Amino acid sequence: MNKTMNSEMKNISQPINNKTKKQKSIKRSLLIKRILIYAVLIFITFLCIIPFYIMIINATRASPQIQQGFSFIPGDQLVNNWNSMMSMSSIQVGRAVRNSLLISSITSFLTTYFSALTAYSIFMYRFKGRNFAFMFILFVMMIPNQISALGLVAIAYKINMVNTIIPLVIPAIASPVTFFYIKQYMESVLNKELIESARIDGAGEIRIFHRMVLPIMKPALAVQFIFAFVSSWNNFFLPSLILTDASYQTIPLIFNLLRSSNPATFDLGLIYMLLTVAILPLLVVYLLFSKMIISGLTAGSVKG
Amino acid sequence: MPEKKSKKVKQNIYAKWGYLFIAPFFLVFTLFTLVPLLSTFFYSFFEYYSDNLDVVGPNFVGLQNYFRLFQEGRMFRYFGNTFVIWILGFVPQIILSLLLAVWFTDIRLKLRGLRFWKTIIYMPNLVMASAFGMLFLTLFAQNGPILSFLFEIGALPETFTIDSSVWGTRGVIAFINFLMWFGNTTLLLMAGVMGIDNEIYEAAAVDGSGAFRTFFQITMPLLMPIFIYVFITSLIGGIQLFDVAQIFTRGSGNPNTTSTTLIMYLNQLIVPSKNYGMGGAFSTILFIVTLGLSSIVFRYLVPQTTSKKQKAGRVKDENRYLPMNLRQFKKENRDGEVHE
């Protein structure tokens, strides 16, 4: 309808004709801009994906093949590379995966549960020092944990906590960043009157927290669980200082071991296989839950 | 009045639950962060290290560790390396992120597949940084896919090796950082841009403001608080740069320690010699630097929570960055919102 009106107007008067011309040129420049933007986006997608594509393809090829150059077609050495990775004598990948899984799951459980508990305390109760506690947590949020690492390592040596998971998992209970995200989410979804009415019905505080608050908070908790899991799975600095014994090594520490050997002598198929094991599972989890994760990210973020 | 009093009593009954629920956080924080932090400061005043199996110290030496750090000058070199690598990654990252944030939120552009693009750009953030370093170490090996391609097309002489090239090594580390963080920055900036009132843009369009002008005179000033937040948190993240550089340079900081970062130095102080004295002094210096930086971030985090008084303070704070006419516009707009 708009179109017919435009063509009618064209015949009637000159100035309006000029205007439609202008609109057309705006439309055209918008189209050009759109094409340019898609080109940039495709290029970025390429940048983000190609390293992992090369990694996965090379995990299916033998070392000599890989050295001859890159191919976009997968090879047939996947099983071979897997077997040679699993049968390495110096590095036990299966054990490292188990250690990583154990530490990451305990860490992420503790982080999410206790951050929710802390957030609920600040959200629901009016107690003396509440404001101070909140300010304090916000203030220490930005201080990197590498700075207290030296003291933690020194203490761990003194009280024989080296090569135990305690210095790696227990600190997860006090995680200011996770607390902050959960607190933000709580502000927007939790209704204090609902909790008051549960109290009138005679529910205890602990029961209210577990039966009411946690279920309502589920989406935020799930996202924070994934984040905590990922950051623990990827954690390198502190574990490298605490887990010095080979039998406690986690996956990132394997790469620390490998660096002492020369890349020229690597069995490349094996290395790419190892990288795939370290990276791919998390990427799959991420892609499965990406909708939830992406929206969860911005929901708790700082609003300008 | 009596009602108020009874409410207060009721609050007091519940207050103990507040303490109980917050106790684990503060207990663990004290034991695993505060005490280690204080003992780090404490050790910084001692000569205390291991020489093979012999432990030297702890002997009180006052500020000697600090003097040594400043005299040696290595620390400044590593500060420089870390800063250069950070800026190499941050500049392209912030430019791209701003562009993407503006494009993704522009209603007129009607970009398709927004969720797909967002998913892709955020993906590298979840990849294990040490594995990222290893992957690029392998990709940039002499016979790896990238260098052999560049040799083939003649872009680089065959004598080139990545671990003898200062800017090659720094560039790759910065590129990995860029790739890992630009998606995160984009999402943060997007939240900021979406928070800007659309009416301002409409008014600007009516007044005939072009894309560039709109960006620099409306989007950027209004985005300033979140921009500073992104800037400072990225800087603090930059100070922590370790995994990628450690693995990619195989712990050496090659060539000639030009890519040794601050935390790599801390690692060198802790791992072989357990030099708690020097390491403690170095940690303390890092602590002071990050404390200064994070107190800037703190100012942006605090006001959005508590009392009305502070909220009013925040409006003032936020408008500080606005040009005069917009300040007026925003104020009117906000008042309108309140009345609704």
Side-chain angles (χ1 to χ4, degrees):
Chain A
M1 188 190 151
N2 204 7
K3 219 175 184 177
T4 54
M5 234 167 79
N6 273 351
S7 60
E8 267 173 24
M9 280 177 179
K10 239 183 222 170
N11 301 329
I12 298 165
S13 72
Q14 204 55 31
I16 289 174
N17 192 7
N18 268 347
K19 205 174 175 186
T20 53
K21 247 186 192 167
K22 203 176 168 189
Q23 273 174 347
K24 254 186 188 167
S25 84
I26 288 174
K27 247 186 183 168
R28 190 173 302 143
S29 75
L30 212 59
L31 184 73
I32 293 169
K33 201 175 168 191
R34 215 173 277 153
I35 291 169
L36 272 173
I37 290 172
Y38 282 125
V40 171
L41 287 174
I42 288 166
F43 175 70
I44 292 169
T45 306
F46 178 78
L47 272 188
C48 289
I49 288 179
I50 195 78
F52 308 111
Y53 184 72
I54 297 179
M55 174 186 85
I56 293 168
I57 293 293
N58 279 352
T60 66
R61 301 165 77 213
S63 201
Q65 282 177 315
I66 294 169
Q67 287 186 12
Q68 276 164 21
F70 182 64
S71 137
F72 282 90
I73 308 147
D76 53 3
Q77 298 297 309
L78 183 72
V79 177
N80 265 350
N81 286 335
W82 175 267
N83 287 338
S84 54
M85 177 184 78
M86 294 311 279
S87 62
M88 267 190 295
S89 56
S90 55
I91 296 162
Q92 293 196 22
V93 179
R95 193 173 61 191
V97 170
R98 273 200 304 280
N99 289 340
S100 275
L101 277 177
L102 178 75
I103 292 174
S104 303
S105 7
I106 297 176
T107 304
S108 38
F109 172 75
L110 290 179
T111 304
T112 356
Y113 178 79
F114 282 99
S115 296
L117 194 65
T118 313
Y120 183 66
S121 162
I122 298 261
F123 172 81
M124 197 57 209
Y125 302 103
R126 299 282 168 273
F127 54 89
K128 221 179 183 177
R130 167 183 171 273
N131 227 20
F132 171 79
F134 184 46
M135 292 296 150
F136 182 82
I137 298 175
L138 285 191
F139 193 68
V140 299
M141 191 161 101
M142 290 295 152
I143 297 171
N145 58 9
Q146 280 101 326
I147 285 166
S148 58
L150 182 136
L152 188 59
V153 171
I155 294 171
Y157 272 99
K158 273 217 176 95
I159 60 174
N160 280 327
M161 279 196 318
V162 178
N163 288 318
T164 67
I165 62 171
I166 292 167
L168 297 174
V169 300
I170 300 298
I173 289 173
S175 166
V177 179
T178 315
F179 157 82
F180 183 67
Y181 275 94
I182 292 180
K183 169 84 173 25
Q184 294 282 92
Y185 189 83
M186 211 174 253
E187 300 270 1
S188 64
V189 300
L190 213 54
N191 185 348
K192 279 183 190 168
E193 277 142 36
L194 198 72
I195 292 163
E196 299 276 4
S197 67
R199 277 176 182 167
I200 292 165
D201 291 345
E205 296 302 300
I206 292 175
R207 196 186 153 89
I208 289 176
F209 176 72
H210 289 101
R211 293 289 176 83
M212 244 173 87
V213 179
L214 288 186
I216 293 174
M217 298 293 296
K218 232 184 210 159
L221 298 183
V223 172
Q224 290 310 316
F225 186 90
I226 294 175
F227 277 125
F229 193 94
V230 168
S231 67
S232 172
W233 178 267
N234 295 345
N235 194 7
F236 175 42
F237 183 69
L238 197 58
S240 77
L241 298 174
I242 297 283
L243 305 173
T244 53
D245 192 297
S247 55
Y248 295 104
Q249 242 137 20
T250 56
I251 296 180
L253 302 190
I254 289 178
F255 298 116
N256 202 29
L257 270 187
L258 281 175
R259 75 184 163 87
S260 46
S261 49
N262 186 352
T265 61
F266 284 163
D267 176 352
L268 287 171
L270 187 156
I271 296 288
Y272 283 112
M273 191 73 228
L274 201 57
L275 286 165
T276 309
V277 168
I279 292 174
L280 199 62
L282 288 196
L283 287 191
V284 171
V285 171
Y286 167 67
L287 292 175
L288 285 178
F289 295 101
S290 64
K291 190 183 171 190
M292 200 171 85
I293 292 173
I294 296 282
S295 59
L297 254 175
T298 37
S301 75
V302 191
K303 289 186 188 96
Chain B
M1 191 64 193
E3 203 193 323
K4 214 175 188 181
K5 205 172 178 185
S6 79
K7 209 173 183 183
K8 207 173 180 188
V9 171
K10 218 167 84 185
Q11 291 295 349
N12 283 342
I13 297 170
Y14 289 115
K16 68 167 191 208
W17 291 103
Y19 288 122
L20 188 71
F21 285 176
I22 209 170
F25 184 101
F26 277 91
L27 188 70
V28 168
F29 186 83
T30 307
L31 284 179
F32 286 87
T33 305
L34 215 53
V35 171
L37 199 61
L38 292 176
S39 65
T40 304
F41 299 155
F42 181 73
Y43 285 131
S44 74
F45 302 111
F46 287 85
E47 181 189 45
Y48 192 13
Y49 61 91
S50 332
D51 190 4
N52 288 324
L53 287 176
D54 299 326
V55 178
V56 179
N59 309 314
F60 183 76
V61 290
L63 292 173
Q64 209 175 299
N65 289 327
Y66 292 91
F67 289 138
R68 243 182 89 189
L69 278 175
F70 280 95
Q71 271 165 6
E72 272 184 351
R74 258 198 288 185
M75 184 178 73
F76 299 109
R77 185 185 171 86
Y78 302 149
F79 258 106
N81 291 342
T82 311
F83 187 73
V84 164
I85 294 172
W86 173 73
I87 206 102
L88 275 179
F90 184 74
V91 171
Q93 177 193 316
I94 199 72
I95 293 172
L96 182 65
S97 295
L98 275 172
L99 276 175
L100 291 178
V102 169
W103 289 342
F104 284 168
T105 50
D106 193 332
I107 310 159
R108 284 184 312 160
L109 279 171
K110 289 194 203 93
L111 291 179
R112 281 169 181 279
L114 218 57
R115 230 184 78 198
F116 172 78
W117 304 120
K118 282 202 265 183
T119 305
I120 291 291
I121 63 172
Y122 190 73
M123 190 182 74
N125 193 262
L126 297 179
V127 172
M128 189 185 285
S130 47
F132 231 131
M134 191 73 201
L135 178 59
F136 274 70
L137 179 65
T138 326
L139 293 179
F140 274 90
Q142 215 53 15
N143 47 16
I146 292 175
L147 284 192
S148 47
F149 172 74
L150 291 174
F151 294 150
E152 218 164 275
I153 62 167
L156 284 173
E158 299 237 359
T159 50
F160 180 89
T161 59
I162 194 75
D163 59 353
S164 65
S165 161
V166 176
W167 293 101
T169 303
R170 286 174 169 178
V172 172
I173 298 168
F175 176 75
I176 297 174
N177 258 351
F178 158 80
L179 207 57
M180 283 183 76
W181 290 101
F182 83 96
N184 188 60
T185 309
T186 305
L187 293 180
L188 272 175
L189 291 176
M190 267 180 80
V193 176
M194 286 193 289
I196 298 174
D197 207 304
N198 222 11
E199 282 175 48
I200 301 179
Y201 285 116
E202 279 162 24
V206 169
D207 290 346
S209 168
F212 275 95
R213 216 171 142 204
T214 307
F215 177 76
F216 284 107
Q217 298 203 337
I218 296 177
T219 311
M220 263 324 265
L222 284 172
L223 211 55
M224 224 22 166
I226 207 161
F227 186 85
I228 291 174
Y229 173 82
V230 166
F231 179 81
I232 303 286
T233 47
S234 167
L235 195 56
I236 295 173
I239 289 173
Q240 301 175 59
L241 178 60
F242 174 70
D243 301 18
V244 174
Q246 172 82 359
I247 300 292
F248 188 74
T249 68
R250 302 201 275 137
S252 68
N254 272 344
N256 194 20
T257 69
T258 51
S259 43
T260 304
T261 65
L262 292 165
I263 302 296
M264 277 170 79
Y265 181 48
L266 180 64
N267 190 53
Q268 285 165 15
L269 287 171
I270 301 177
V271 170
S273 59
K274 294 210 183 82
N275 196 336
Y276 296 144
M278 291 286 280
F282 184 58
S283 298
T284 307
I285 292 169
L286 288 181
F287 176 73
I288 293 166
V289 173
T290 45
L291 200 66
L293 290 172
S294 55
S295 57
I296 301 173
V297 175
F298 184 64
R299 279 186 43 219
Y300 290 98
L301 286 179
V302 171
Q304 59 166 299
T305 42
T306 47
S307 69
K308 261 187 184 160
K309 214 170 161 188
Q310 275 165 310
K311 254 184 190 157
R314 175 167 173 261
V315 173
K316 211 169 143 196
D317 200 345
E318 197 180 79
N319 286 351
R320 204 153 44 92
Y321 300 99
L322 302 184
M324 203 58 204
N325 50 344
L326 267 184
R327 211 177 292 178
Q328 194 56 37
F329 184 90
K330 244 204 140 187
K331 197 167 171 257
E332 279 160 16
N333 221 34
R334 194 179 292 272
D335 290 345
E337 263 175 30
V338 171
H339 290 305
E340 272 171 30

Short mmCIF file of all heavy atoms in Angstrom, two decimals, chain B residues 62-99:
data_model
loop_
_atom_site.label_atom_id
_atom_site.label_comp_id
_atom_site.label_asym_id
_atom_site.label_seq_id
_atom_site.Cartn_x
_atom_site.Cartn_y
_atom_site.Cartn_z
N GLY B 62 63.51 -5.49 57.53
CA GLY B 62 62.86 -4.21 57.29
C GLY B 62 62.37 -4.08 55.86
O GLY B 62 61.76 -5.00 55.32
N LEU B 63 62.67 -2.96 55.23
CA LEU B 63 62.17 -2.70 53.89
C LEU B 63 63.14 -3.15 52.79
O LEU B 63 62.98 -2.80 51.63
CB LEU B 63 61.87 -1.21 53.72
CG LEU B 63 60.70 -0.67 54.54
CD1 LEU B 63 60.62 0.84 54.43
CD2 LEU B 63 59.39 -1.30 54.09
N GLN B 64 64.14 -3.92 53.18
CA GLN B 64 65.21 -4.26 52.24
C GLN B 64 64.70 -4.95 50.97
O GLN B 64 65.18 -4.68 49.87
CB GLN B 64 66.22 -5.16 52.94
CG GLN B 64 67.62 -5.01 52.37
CD GLN B 64 68.59 -5.82 53.19
OE1 GLN B 64 68.76 -5.58 54.38
NE2 GLN B 64 69.20 -6.81 52.57
N ASN B 65 63.70 -5.85 51.13
CA ASN B 65 63.14 -6.53 49.96
C ASN B 65 62.55 -5.54 48.96
O ASN B 65 62.70 -5.69 47.75
CB ASN B 65 62.06 -7.52 50.39
CG ASN B 65 62.65 -8.73 51.09
OD1 ASN B 65 63.75 -9.15 50.76
ND2 ASN B 65 61.92 -9.25 52.07
N TYR B 66 61.88 -4.53 49.51
CA TYR B 66 61.28 -3.51 48.64
C TYR B 66 62.37 -2.74 47.91
O TYR B 66 62.28 -2.49 46.71
CB TYR B 66 60.39 -2.56 49.44
CG TYR B 66 59.16 -3.23 50.00
CD1 TYR B 66 59.16 -3.80 51.26
CD2 TYR B 66 57.99 -3.30 49.24
CE1 TYR B 66 58.05 -4.42 51.77
CE2 TYR B 66 56.87 -3.92 49.74
CZ TYR B 66 56.90 -4.48 51.01
OH TYR B 66 55.78 -5.10 51.50
N PHE B 67 63.41 -2.35 48.67
CA PHE B 67 64.52 -1.61 48.03
C PHE B 67 65.12 -2.44 46.91
O PHE B 67 65.40 -1.93 45.83
CB PHE B 67 65.60 -1.28 49.07
CG PHE B 67 65.17 -0.22 50.06
CD1 PHE B 67 65.48 -0.34 51.40
CD2 PHE B 67 64.44 0.89 49.62
CE1 PHE B 67 65.06 0.62 52.31
CE2 PHE B 67 64.02 1.85 50.54
CZ PHE B 67 64.34 1.72 51.88
N ARG B 68 65.30 -3.73 47.18
CA ARG B 68 65.91 -4.59 46.17
C ARG B 68 65.05 -4.65 44.91
O ARG B 68 65.56 -4.57 43.79
CB ARG B 68 66.12 -5.99 46.73
CG ARG B 68 67.60 -6.37 46.79
CD ARG B 68 67.77 -7.75 47.31
NE ARG B 68 67.73 -8.75 46.25
CZ ARG B 68 67.68 -10.06 46.50
NH1 ARG B 68 67.66 -10.49 47.74
NH2 ARG B 68 67.65 -10.91 45.51
N LEU B 69 63.75 -4.79 45.11
CA LEU B 69 62.84 -4.85 43.95
C LEU B 69 62.96 -3.57 43.12
O LEU B 69 63.00 -3.63 41.89
CB LEU B 69 61.39 -5.02 44.42
CG LEU B 69 60.94 -6.42 44.75
CD1 LEU B 69 59.52 -6.39 45.30
CD2 LEU B 69 60.99 -7.31 43.52
N PHE B 70 63.00 -2.43 43.81
CA PHE B 70 63.06 -1.18 43.06
C PHE B 70 64.43 -0.98 42.41
O PHE B 70 64.52 -0.43 41.32
CB PHE B 70 62.72 0.01 43.98
CG PHE B 70 61.24 0.17 44.18
CD1 PHE B 70 60.60 -0.38 45.28
CD2 PHE B 70 60.49 0.87 43.23
CE1 PHE B 70 59.23 -0.25 45.44
CE2 PHE B 70 59.12 1.01 43.39
CZ PHE B 70 58.49 0.44 44.50
N GLN B 71 65.49 -1.43 43.09
CA GLN B 71 66.83 -1.25 42.53
C GLN B 71 67.09 -2.16 41.33
O GLN B 71 67.65 -1.75 40.33
CB GLN B 71 67.89 -1.51 43.61
CG GLN B 71 68.22 -0.26 44.39
CD GLN B 71 68.97 -0.59 45.68
OE1 GLN B 71 69.32 -1.75 45.92
NE2 GLN B 71 69.20 0.41 46.48
N GLU B 72 66.65 -3.41 41.46
CA GLU B 72 66.91 -4.39 40.39
C GLU B 72 66.32 -3.95 39.06
O GLU B 72 66.88 -4.22 38.01
CB GLU B 72 66.33 -5.74 40.76
CG GLU B 72 67.25 -6.61 41.55
CD GLU B 72 66.64 -7.98 41.81
OE1 GLU B 72 65.44 -8.17 41.51
OE2 GLU B 72 67.35 -8.84 42.31
N GLY B 73 65.17 -3.30 39.13
CA GLY B 73 64.56 -2.78 37.92
C GLY B 73 63.84 -3.84 37.09
O GLY B 73 63.12 -3.51 36.16
N ARG B 74 64.03 -5.12 37.45
CA ARG B 74 63.35 -6.18 36.70
C ARG B 74 61.85 -6.00 36.77
O ARG B 74 61.14 -6.19 35.81
CB ARG B 74 63.71 -7.53 37.32
CG ARG B 74 64.74 -8.27 36.52
CD ARG B 74 64.73 -9.71 36.88
NE ARG B 74 65.28 -9.92 38.20
CZ ARG B 74 65.47 -11.13 38.73
NH1 ARG B 74 65.12 -12.19 38.05
NH2 ARG B 74 65.98 -11.26 39.93
N MET B 75 61.40 -5.62 37.98
CA MET B 75 59.98 -5.44 38.21
C MET B 75 59.37 -4.45 37.22
O MET B 75 58.30 -4.67 36.67
CB MET B 75 59.78 -4.95 39.64
CG MET B 75 58.35 -4.83 40.05
SD MET B 75 58.25 -4.28 41.76
CE MET B 75 58.72 -2.59 41.65
N PHE B 76 60.10 -3.35 36.99
CA PHE B 76 59.59 -2.33 36.07
C PHE B 76 59.52 -2.87 34.65
O PHE B 76 58.60 -2.57 33.90
CB PHE B 76 60.46 -1.08 36.13
CG PHE B 76 60.48 -0.45 37.48
CD1 PHE B 76 61.61 -0.50 38.26
CD2 PHE B 76 59.34 0.17 37.99
CE1 PHE B 76 61.63 0.06 39.53
CE2 PHE B 76 59.35 0.73 39.25
CZ PHE B 76 60.49 0.67 40.02
N ARG B 77 60.53 -3.67 34.31
CA ARG B 77 60.55 -4.29 32.99
C ARG B 77 59.30 -5.16 32.81
O ARG B 77 58.64 -5.12 31.79
CB ARG B 77 61.82 -5.12 32.87
CG ARG B 77 62.04 -5.75 31.50
CD ARG B 77 63.28 -6.65 31.58
NE ARG B 77 63.46 -7.44 30.39
CZ ARG B 77 64.11 -7.00 29.32
NH1 ARG B 77 64.60 -5.80 29.28
NH2 ARG B 77 64.23 -7.78 28.26
N TYR B 78 58.97 -5.95 33.87
CA TYR B 78 57.82 -6.85 33.77
C TYR B 78 56.50 -6.08 33.80
O TYR B 78 55.53 -6.47 33.15
CB TYR B 78 57.87 -7.91 34.88
CG TYR B 78 59.13 -8.74 34.86
CD1 TYR B 78 59.69 -9.25 36.01
CD2 TYR B 78 59.79 -8.99 33.64
CE1 TYR B 78 60.86 -10.01 35.98
CE2 TYR B 78 60.95 -9.73 33.60
CZ TYR B 78 61.49 -10.23 34.77
OH TYR B 78 62.63 -10.97 34.73
N PHE B 79 56.48 -4.98 34.57
CA PHE B 79 55.31 -4.10 34.51
C PHE B 79 55.12 -3.61 33.07
O PHE B 79 54.01 -3.62 32.54
CB PHE B 79 55.49 -2.88 35.44
CG PHE B 79 54.74 -3.00 36.73
CD1 PHE B 79 55.40 -3.26 37.92
CD2 PHE B 79 53.35 -2.85 36.75
CE1 PHE B 79 54.71 -3.38 39.11
CE2 PHE B 79 52.66 -2.97 37.95
CZ PHE B 79 53.35 -3.24 39.13
N GLY B 80 56.24 -3.19 32.46
CA GLY B 80 56.20 -2.70 31.08
C GLY B 80 55.70 -3.77 30.13
O GLY B 80 54.78 -3.53 29.33
N ASN B 81 56.28 -4.99 30.22
CA ASN B 81 55.85 -6.09 29.34
C ASN B 81 54.35 -6.32 29.46
O ASN B 81 53.63 -6.42 28.47
CB ASN B 81 56.53 -7.40 29.76
CG ASN B 81 58.01 -7.40 29.48
OD1 ASN B 81 58.49 -6.58 28.70
ND2 ASN B 81 58.73 -8.29 30.12
N THR B 82 53.90 -6.45 30.72
CA THR B 82 52.50 -6.76 30.97
C THR B 82 51.61 -5.68 30.40
O THR B 82 50.59 -5.96 29.75
CB THR B 82 52.24 -6.90 32.49
OG1 THR B 82 53.23 -7.76 33.03
CG2 THR B 82 50.88 -7.46 32.77
N PHE B 83 52.02 -4.42 30.62
CA PHE B 83 51.21 -3.31 30.13
C PHE B 83 51.15 -3.29 28.60
O PHE B 83 50.08 -3.12 28.02
CB PHE B 83 51.77 -1.98 30.66
CG PHE B 83 50.89 -0.82 30.34
CD1 PHE B 83 49.69 -0.63 31.00
CD2 PHE B 83 51.25 0.08 29.35
CE1 PHE B 83 48.87 0.43 30.69
CE2 PHE B 83 50.43 1.15 29.03
CZ PHE B 83 49.23 1.32 29.71
N VAL B 84 52.31 -3.50 27.96
CA VAL B 84 52.34 -3.50 26.50
C VAL B 84 51.44 -4.60 25.93
O VAL B 84 50.64 -4.36 25.02
CB VAL B 84 53.80 -3.66 25.99
CG1 VAL B 84 53.83 -4.04 24.52
CG2 VAL B 84 54.58 -2.38 26.23
N ILE B 85 51.56 -5.81 26.51
CA ILE B 85 50.74 -6.92 26.01
C ILE B 85 49.26 -6.62 26.24
O ILE B 85 48.42 -6.86 25.37
CB ILE B 85 51.14 -8.25 26.69
CG1 ILE B 85 52.56 -8.63 26.27
CG2 ILE B 85 50.18 -9.37 26.33
CD1 ILE B 85 53.15 -9.81 27.02
N TRP B 86 48.97 -6.04 27.41
CA TRP B 86 47.57 -5.72 27.70
C TRP B 86 47.02 -4.72 26.69
O TRP B 86 45.93 -4.89 26.14
CB TRP B 86 47.44 -5.15 29.12
CG TRP B 86 46.06 -4.65 29.41
CD1 TRP B 86 44.95 -5.41 29.63
CD2 TRP B 86 45.63 -3.29 29.45
NE1 TRP B 86 43.86 -4.60 29.84
CE2 TRP B 86 44.25 -3.30 29.72
CE3 TRP B 86 46.28 -2.07 29.30
CZ2 TRP B 86 43.50 -2.13 29.83
CZ3 TRP B 86 45.55 -0.90 29.41
CH2 TRP B 86 44.17 -0.94 29.67
N ILE B 87 47.78 -3.65 26.44
CA ILE B 87 47.28 -2.58 25.57
C ILE B 87 47.14 -3.09 24.13
O ILE B 87 46.19 -2.73 23.43
CB ILE B 87 48.17 -1.31 25.66
CG1 ILE B 87 47.37 -0.06 25.31
CG2 ILE B 87 49.36 -1.35 24.74
CD1 ILE B 87 46.96 0.73 26.50
N LEU B 88 48.07 -3.97 23.71
CA LEU B 88 47.99 -4.55 22.37
C LEU B 88 46.69 -5.33 22.19
O LEU B 88 46.14 -5.39 21.08
CB LEU B 88 49.16 -5.51 22.13
CG LEU B 88 50.49 -4.95 21.66
CD1 LEU B 88 51.50 -6.08 21.51
CD2 LEU B 88 50.32 -4.21 20.35
N GLY B 89 46.23 -5.95 23.25
CA GLY B 89 44.98 -6.70 23.16
C GLY B 89 43.77 -5.82 23.41
O GLY B 89 42.71 -6.01 22.82
N PHE B 90 43.93 -4.83 24.29
CA PHE B 90 42.76 -4.05 24.71
C PHE B 90 42.28 -3.08 23.64
O PHE B 90 41.08 -2.92 23.45
CB PHE B 90 43.08 -3.29 26.01
CG PHE B 90 41.89 -2.54 26.56
CD1 PHE B 90 40.86 -3.23 27.17
CD2 PHE B 90 41.79 -1.17 26.43
CE1 PHE B 90 39.76 -2.56 27.66
CE2 PHE B 90 40.68 -0.49 26.92
CZ PHE B 90 39.67 -1.19 27.54
N VAL B 91 43.20 -2.44 22.94
CA VAL B 91 42.79 -1.43 21.96
C VAL B 91 41.91 -2.03 20.86
O VAL B 91 40.78 -1.57 20.66
CB VAL B 91 44.01 -0.67 21.39
CG1 VAL B 91 43.62 0.20 20.21
CG2 VAL B 91 44.66 0.17 22.47
N PRO B 92 42.38 -3.10 20.17
CA PRO B 92 41.46 -3.68 19.18
C PRO B 92 40.19 -4.23 19.81
O PRO B 92 39.12 -4.16 19.22
CB PRO B 92 42.28 -4.81 18.54
CG PRO B 92 43.43 -5.04 19.43
CD PRO B 92 43.68 -3.77 20.18
N GLN B 93 40.33 -4.74 21.05
CA GLN B 93 39.17 -5.33 21.72
C GLN B 93 38.09 -4.28 21.97
O GLN B 93 36.92 -4.50 21.69
CB GLN B 93 39.64 -5.93 23.03
CG GLN B 93 38.54 -6.52 23.88
CD GLN B 93 39.04 -6.81 25.28
OE1 GLN B 93 40.13 -7.33 25.46
NE2 GLN B 93 38.26 -6.47 26.27
N ILE B 94 38.48 -3.12 22.48
CA ILE B 94 37.48 -2.12 22.84
C ILE B 94 36.86 -1.51 21.57
O ILE B 94 35.67 -1.23 21.53
CB ILE B 94 38.06 -1.05 23.79
CG1 ILE B 94 36.94 -0.29 24.52
CG2 ILE B 94 38.95 -0.06 23.08
CD1 ILE B 94 36.24 -1.09 25.57
N ILE B 95 37.69 -1.34 20.52
CA ILE B 95 37.14 -0.79 19.28
C ILE B 95 36.10 -1.74 18.70
O ILE B 95 34.96 -1.35 18.40
CB ILE B 95 38.27 -0.52 18.26
CG1 ILE B 95 39.17 0.61 18.77
CG2 ILE B 95 37.69 -0.18 16.88
CD1 ILE B 95 40.42 0.83 17.93
N LEU B 96 36.49 -3.02 18.59
CA LEU B 96 35.56 -4.00 18.02
C LEU B 96 34.31 -4.15 18.90
O LEU B 96 33.19 -4.20 18.39
CB LEU B 96 36.27 -5.36 17.87
CG LEU B 96 35.43 -6.45 17.24
CD1 LEU B 96 35.08 -6.11 15.80
CD2 LEU B 96 36.15 -7.79 17.28
N SER B 97 34.52 -4.17 20.21
CA SER B 97 33.38 -4.37 21.11
C SER B 97 32.40 -3.20 21.04
O SER B 97 31.19 -3.41 21.06
CB SER B 97 33.86 -4.54 22.55
OG SER B 97 34.62 -5.71 22.66
N LEU B 98 32.94 -1.99 20.95
CA LEU B 98 32.05 -0.83 20.83
C LEU B 98 31.26 -0.90 19.53
O LEU B 98 30.04 -0.69 19.52
CB LEU B 98 32.87 0.47 20.86
CG LEU B 98 33.20 1.03 22.24
CD1 LEU B 98 34.16 2.19 22.12
CD2 LEU B 98 31.93 1.47 22.96
N LEU B 99 31.96 -1.22 18.44
CA LEU B 99 31.27 -1.34 17.15
C LEU B 99 30.17 -2.39 17.23
O LEU B 99 29.01 -2.13 16.86
CB LEU B 99 32.27 -1.75 16.06
CG LEU B 99 33.07 -0.63 15.41
CD1 LEU B 99 34.10 -1.23 14.44
CD2 LEU B 99 32.14 0.32 14.65
#
